[in-house]
Amino acid sequence: MKLNELRDNEGATHSRIRVGRGIGSGKGKTGGRGVKGQKSRSGVAIKGYEGGQMPIYRRLPKRGFTNIFAKNFNVVSIERIEAAIEAKKLDAKNTITVETLIEAGICRRALDGVRVLGDGEVKSKLNLEVAGASKSAIEKIEKAGGKITVTAAAASEV
């Protein structure tokens, strides 16, 4: 094989449709834009414009509220922690924190801490240090002989 023999696979590339090149092309005259009017011209951006009428997003009242102090937690289920222990990514004997979960690839980045949910079964004795946990998660971990420490400091550190 030589450099001049290199080609793309059959059907890998498509030739560009040349619009506005006569009626025989099938994309002539209006060039696939329909007929007349503002939208048939180039440089048109009319999102939300209703022909001068007051737009619906301005007619409707403002709703809702965004709490700027809200915490954003990594949500992790017991099931995922158990799967990581079985895959030897986590050690059940050590305390499981945000850092160990990130190293194991369960969490991508440390947000405002980790919140554990009670989905799945606890097979090993877990020792968790997290920012929050659901009642079912605490119940399952303590039933299996583990310990869960819910710390506000863990949330503020991270």
Side-chain angles (χ1 to χ4, degrees), residues 39-114:
K39 285 185 182 174
S40 70
R41 313 282 190 261
S42 66
V44 174
I46 46 173
K47 287 188 174 64
Y49 184 71
E50 297 180 20
Q53 165 179 295
M54 187 63 67
I56 192 154
Y57 64 86
R58 288 189 58 194
R59 282 181 302 211
L60 296 173
K62 291 183 192 176
R63 300 280 296 157
F65 165 77
T66 304
N67 184 2
I68 60 168
F69 302 108
K71 298 270 187 230
N72 191 6
F73 293 114
N74 285 312
V75 179
V76 178
S77 65
I78 290 172
E79 193 173 33
R80 290 203 40 214
I81 293 170
E82 281 294 337
I85 290 167
E86 285 174 18
K88 303 277 191 270
K89 290 181 181 178
L90 278 177
D91 187 15
K93 294 176 185 84
N94 297 340
T95 304
I96 296 168
T97 61
V98 184
E99 291 78 28
T100 56
L101 290 172
I102 291 168
E103 285 170 26
I106 294 173
C107 299
R108 189 177 289 179
R109 64 183 69 85
L111 300 173
D112 292 323
V114 172

Side-chain angles (χ1 to χ4, degrees), residues 1 4 8 13 21 35 37 46 54 56 60 69 75 80 84 91 94 96 104 112 116 121 131 133 135 142 150 158:
M1 178 171 278
N4 66 329
D8 280 322
T13 59
R21 296 293 185 277
V35 215
I46 46 173
M54 187 63 67
I56 192 154
L60 296 173
F69 302 108
V75 179
R80 290 203 40 214
D91 187 15
N94 297 340
I96 296 168
D112 292 323
V116 180
E121 295 300 314
K135 284 181 185 176
E142 288 175 351
V150 178
V158 178

Side-chain angles (χ1 to χ4, degrees), residues 4-20:
N4 66 329
E5 294 173 355
L6 288 175
R7 294 203 187 298
D8 280 322
N9 291 334
E10 197 64 41
T13 59
H14 300 279
S15 55
R16 183 174 66 86
I17 294 174
R18 298 179 68 220
V19 296

